[in-house]
Amino acid sequence: MSNRPDYSLLELASVREGDSVGTTLANSVAYAQRAEQLGFSRFWLAEHHNMEGISSSATSVLIGHIAGKTDRIRVGSGGVMLPNHPPLVIAEQFGTLESLYPGRIDLGLGRAPGTDPVTARALRREGLGAEQFPEDVARLQQLLGPLQPGQPVKAIPGAGSNVPIWLLGSSLYSAQLAAIRGLPYAFAGHFAPRLYREALRVYRDNFQPSDQLAAPYSMLAVPAIPADSMDEARRLATTSYQRILALFRGQPLWMRPPVDSMEGLWNAGEKASVQDFLALQILGDANDLNRQLDELLATVDVDELMFTIDIYDPAKRRHALEVLAATRRA
């Protein structure tokens, strides 16, 4: 256990059915504060749009709010969906965040829109989709790097801030790009586990050192349901099963209370699809989690694990962090 990677958290600011967004964000703050107390490394927020039940659409605003309510934990985006934004705007936002919270801000970038095509058009980046991602990443690196003589467009603030840029992905594309650019890489195993071994291997095998990073640094996102017993974890996990089922059915993604059984709520095909989606999920008490983490880490070489924890009760969700943190102690 002493060789365990660092632990971090990914947050969607998920809204419980019947709760307000204000209540949801207050719960996210308390969750981040508990994570900081327990020694988690990062707290990232994911950009999604037009999804009832997820309130992290204004990602940079939430990053500033969480950073302002914590003291040490790194706060960042997991990720900003770059096709939705002009790189200059992101550079200014994250340059401002870095000025406010020096040494604590991460900029994780994704190349999907994080929404449907109609909403993507409403975000006003029509025609500038994922195919422009490498150029947009390069532009951001330039805008956040040192000012160059005669540079016509400057991010103020942002220039010279050197906010760490991460590339996020669920396929081999961003793994290869991160390796070529010498950037840290995070794989989205929490919703697209199929290629995690291959993508992380491609990244390590092809990594080229850069000014930002001398050696490869990778992170794997994993869904987790830590609890005081396996029976309780299995019950709590039905909240995430219901949400993923709603996602597949095109329904709102409100967090719903756990149920004793999913029988009657899904059919055999839907059950198989949800289980594929959550193929990397770990659940149970600290001993259960230790065994499952050992099995996972035997299959892949990563420097950090980033957990998504979908638990309906905010107090039980914070307690889950205590159970999970216990697995890092030698």
Side-chain angles (χ1 to χ4, degrees):
M1 266 200 295
S2 57
N3 293 327
R4 280 278 160 82
D6 285 349
Y7 285 6
S8 294
L9 294 175
L10 179 64
E11 172 75 332
L12 303 182
S14 300
V15 186
R16 301 198 311 168
E17 199 167 27
D19 272 3
S20 68
V21 170
T23 298
T24 299
L25 300 182
N27 287 332
S28 292
V29 167
Y31 185 58
Q33 290 170 334
R34 189 68 185 120
E36 180 174 80
Q37 292 165 358
L38 292 165
F40 284 74
S41 297
R42 302 174 208 276
F43 191 90
W44 281 7
L45 294 125
E47 176 187 343
H48 292 278
H49 300 279
N50 197 27
M51 290 187 179
E52 291 180 275
I54 293 178
S55 56
S56 56
S57 54
T59 314
S60 59
V61 177
L62 281 187
I63 290 169
H65 183 62
I66 297 288
K69 297 285 187 178
T70 51
D71 298 314
R72 300 175 309 281
I73 196 168
R74 295 190 68 92
V75 188
S77 58
V80 160
M81 299 295 107
L82 201 48
N84 300 337
H85 309 282
L88 176 61
V89 172
I90 297 303
E92 290 170 341
Q93 289 175 355
F94 279 77
T96 301
L97 288 167
E98 177 65 24
S99 300
L100 290 167
Y101 309 105
R104 293 183 56 207
I105 302 299
D106 295 321
L107 175 51
L109 300 172
R111 70 184 185 106
T115 189
D116 58 90
V118 174
T119 307
R121 286 196 293 276
L123 289 160
R124 300 207 171 120
R125 290 278 280 164
E126 193 167 5
L128 299 175
E131 66 277 358
Q132 192 166 314
F133 185 67
E135 290 77 15
D136 282 351
V137 171
R139 199 166 290 116
L140 258 177
Q141 289 181 286
Q142 180 188 52
L143 289 166
L144 293 169
L147 277 176
Q148 302 301 313
Q151 183 175 326
V153 177
K154 309 174 185 70
I156 310 294
S161 63
N162 297 305
V163 175
I165 290 175
W166 289 68
L167 296 193
L168 319 181
S170 57
S171 67
L172 304 186
Y173 179 91
S174 289
Q176 293 166 330
L177 185 60
I180 292 166
R181 296 284 175 87
L183 296 172
Y185 175 65
F187 186 85
H190 62 300
F191 71 82
R194 192 169 61 87
L195 293 173
Y196 80 96
R197 292 188 192 90
E198 192 176 352
L200 290 164
R201 191 183 312 116
V202 163
Y203 171 68
R204 288 196 174 271
D205 288 351
N206 295 282
F207 183 84
Q208 299 175 24
S210 68
D211 290 342
Q212 180 176 328
L213 202 59
Y217 192 96
S218 61
M219 179 156 61
L220 176 62
V222 175
I225 306 289
D228 289 332
S229 71
M230 179 60 82
D231 285 344
E232 184 187 16
R234 287 188 176 124
R235 186 173 191 278
L236 294 176
T238 60
T239 291
S240 57
Y241 301 161
Q242 292 176 79
R243 290 191 82 205
I244 296 161
L245 189 59
L247 177 68
F248 290 159
R249 291 174 173 177
Q251 298 169 345
L253 302 181
W254 309 115
M255 286 189 80
R256 293 184 172 86
V259 293
D260 292 332
S261 172
M262 289 292 293
E263 294 308 312
L265 297 180
W266 56 15
N267 61 41
E270 289 172 329
K271 178 179 180 179
S273 295
V274 170
Q275 289 175 336
D276 284 347
F277 191 101
L278 292 172
L280 290 184
Q281 185 183 64
I282 61 169
L283 73 168
D285 64 18
N287 289 330
D288 298 317
L289 297 177
N290 270 323
R291 185 184 69 257
Q292 294 164 54
L293 284 167
D294 286 344
E295 291 171 0
L296 173 64
L297 293 170
T299 70
V300 68
D301 183 10
V302 288
D303 301 287
E304 201 164 327
L305 291 171
M306 178 165 274
F307 297 97
T308 58
I309 302 176
D310 259 354
I311 291 177
Y312 180 78
D313 183 304
K316 288 186 177 180
R317 193 174 185 230
R318 293 191 294 273
H319 176 64
L321 297 180
E322 299 167 19
V323 177
L324 185 56
T327 67
R328 283 209 71 230
R329 299 185 195 123

